[in-house]
Amino acid sequence: MENIVNAVDSGEALARDIGAVVRIGAVPSMLKMICEETGMGFAAVARVTDATWTACAVLDKVGFGLKPGGQLQLHSTLCFESRAARLAIVIDDFTQSDKYRDHHTPQIYGLRSYISVPIVLPGGEYFGNLCAIDARPAAVSDPKIVRMFEVFANLIGMQLDSEQRQLSTESQLIRERETATLREQFIAVLGHDLRSPLSAVSATAELLSRRQTEPDIAAIGHRLKRSALRMARLIDDVMDFARGRMGSGMVIALNDELDLGVHLRAVVDELCMTYPSRVVDCAISVDGPARCDLARLQQLMSNLLANAFTHGSPEAPVVVRAAVDSGTLVLSVSNGGEPIPSQVLQRVFEPYWRPKTSAPGGGLGLGLYICKEIVEAHGGTLEVCSSINDGTCFTARVPLEAGKAL
């Protein structure tokens, strides 16, 4: 219990509570109305805990001498008793009160009239009291006066609760952003550090695959090359994702390319070697110069085709089409198999999202997200449609003369 009291009554906590009350713009008007309606000379909003009484907002017309941040001995106040009972205490004249005539509070502070109403937050937490005092009698027991105090106390409680929830939400968002930044920095560093051992694995795989006189060893080398290639793509996706999140998104380098179609076809041929059992119907008709980021468009083709191989039906061919229409590259990759449900169709472009049907180890769920970033960085669009009859088709439309160039 002592730790809780210390936490609540620490200077930092009290300063935060005072600030919260100060930020309620209506409080000064409430205190002014209280004094005008009751004829009393002092009104305040007090933070009352198990150990302290602290003024948060004050209207002092009689020179009582207490300012915001000022404190009174808790047991010298009637707010202590109000807090314990969670009830209002209303006294028109101490000298006429059978219960409070001899109480120490009026004797200490020279009071004749007093009213104090609890301020309780909507969740039940006791914050403090809305109170008024005077050295003269006052008709504060009038039901209209008591009701005014209760309404004001309730409004203050609701506003304090709203601010607490807002601050809690903002703090949580800040913590989540900090965590996300650290995670992405870690992923970027990890991806960078993996490249060196992966290069060694790729070199070893290449040497093994050349052992033509030892077919079993060569087959192991080819499998190792495929695994290394897949790991390299995963690292590239992770690095692109981390750079995009920690920077200003994906940035491309536009150059004039004379053989874009040839380079796209090379990507298809490479993946066909990795998936020799799959049938690919490929028609690429891209002639003439094109201003684009060649490496990124090859990555786009690679990711879309790998996605079709991974999630499409092995019995159905993968259809690849690429052509230029009025200065725009239209590239589509289609596969057969179970359609993507309409309610999750647009989620396929979210980072780290994978369908529930994905096999373990099938990837990080970044490939299609990277595709969308590449297309949008070129000023284009990437769309997906999926149905039982037509299968799933991703279509990218990429202007060949636009984009965020370096």
Side-chain angles (χ1 to χ4, degrees), residues 101-376:
R101 181 183 296 113
D102 299 321
H103 197 279
H104 58 269
T105 294
Q107 296 175 13
I108 292 173
Y109 299 111
L111 306 179
R112 291 285 297 276
S113 55
Y114 178 94
I115 180 171
S116 180
V117 174
I119 298 173
V120 181
L121 306 188
E125 178 187 350
Y126 198 104
F127 179 84
N129 289 70
L130 176 62
C131 51
I133 58 175
D134 202 282
R136 301 166 299 169
V140 290
S141 61
D142 184 319
K144 293 182 180 179
I145 297 295
V146 176
R147 181 56 182 162
M148 177 182 67
F149 269 79
E150 290 173 345
V151 169
F152 286 172
N154 187 48
L155 289 173
I156 293 171
M158 288 191 295
Q159 188 62 38
L160 290 171
D161 178 71
S162 176
E163 176 161 324
Q164 282 185 4
R165 287 187 282 106
Q166 180 178 351
L167 290 175
S168 176
T169 300
E170 290 175 353
S171 298
Q172 184 176 357
L173 287 174
I174 291 172
R175 288 195 298 270
E176 288 179 354
R177 291 191 187 109
E178 291 174 347
T179 300
T181 299
L182 288 174
R183 181 179 63 248
E184 287 155 14
Q185 289 174 344
F186 171 77
I187 290 173
V189 171
L190 180 62
H192 181 272
D193 290 346
L194 284 174
R195 290 188 184 279
S196 294
L198 182 59
S199 297
V201 172
S202 297
T204 301
E206 181 65 28
L207 289 174
L208 292 176
S209 66
R210 294 180 181 181
R211 302 279 287 272
Q212 301 301 326
T213 59
E214 300 175 85
D216 292 342
I217 298 297
I220 292 174
H222 286 298
R223 287 199 299 271
L224 191 58
K225 281 179 65 176
R226 289 194 294 270
S227 297
L229 179 62
R230 180 171 171 272
M231 184 177 292
R233 290 197 183 98
L234 289 174
I235 292 175
D236 288 340
D237 285 347
V238 167
M239 294 291 286
D240 284 337
F241 175 75
R243 280 192 292 264
R245 286 300 181 95
M246 292 187 292
S248 58
M250 182 171 292
V251 180
I252 60 175
L254 298 178
N255 292 291
D256 292 324
E257 302 293 342
L258 299 178
D259 299 312
L260 175 59
V262 173
H263 293 298
L264 292 178
R265 178 72 209 203
V267 173
V268 177
D269 292 340
E270 178 185 357
L271 279 172
C272 285
M273 294 177 62
T274 305
Y275 297 87
S277 64
R278 302 300 295 273
V279 176
V280 177
D281 175 4
C282 180
I284 296 178
S285 178
V286 180
D287 301 318
R291 186 163 180 78
C292 61
D293 187 323
L294 175 60
R296 290 300 187 185
L297 291 188
Q298 286 182 304
Q299 186 181 9
L300 169 68
M301 174 68 88
S302 178
N303 282 4
L304 289 177
L305 192 52
N307 180 76
F309 285 148
T310 301
H311 299 289
S313 170
E315 289 76 26
V318 173
V319 179
V320 177
R321 296 287 183 266
V324 176
D325 181 12
S326 301
T328 297
L329 172 66
V330 181
L331 189 158
S332 65
V333 178
S334 307
N335 62 264
E338 290 294 323
I340 302 173
S342 59
Q343 64 269 24
V344 298
L345 197 60
Q346 296 306 315
R347 293 201 63 194
V348 298
F349 296 117
E350 295 179 8
Y352 295 121
W353 185 86
R354 297 176 63 206
K356 295 180 180 179
T357 55
S358 294
L364 297 174
L366 289 175
L368 294 176
Y369 169 80
I370 298 298
C371 288
K372 191 172 182 65
E373 290 289 300
I374 291 172
V375 172
E376 291 182 350

Side-chain angles (χ1 to χ4, degrees), residues 74-109:
L74 177 62
H75 291 275
S76 71
T77 71
L78 280 170
C79 288
F80 170 74
E81 298 178 20
S82 176
R83 185 179 193 276
R86 293 208 170 200
L87 295 172
I89 296 178
V90 182
I91 304 167
D92 291 339
D93 188 344
F94 277 102
T95 64
Q96 304 298 317
S97 172
D98 294 335
K99 184 175 181 180
Y100 293 104
R101 181 183 296 113
D102 299 321
H103 197 279
H104 58 269
T105 294
Q107 296 175 13
I108 292 173
Y109 299 111

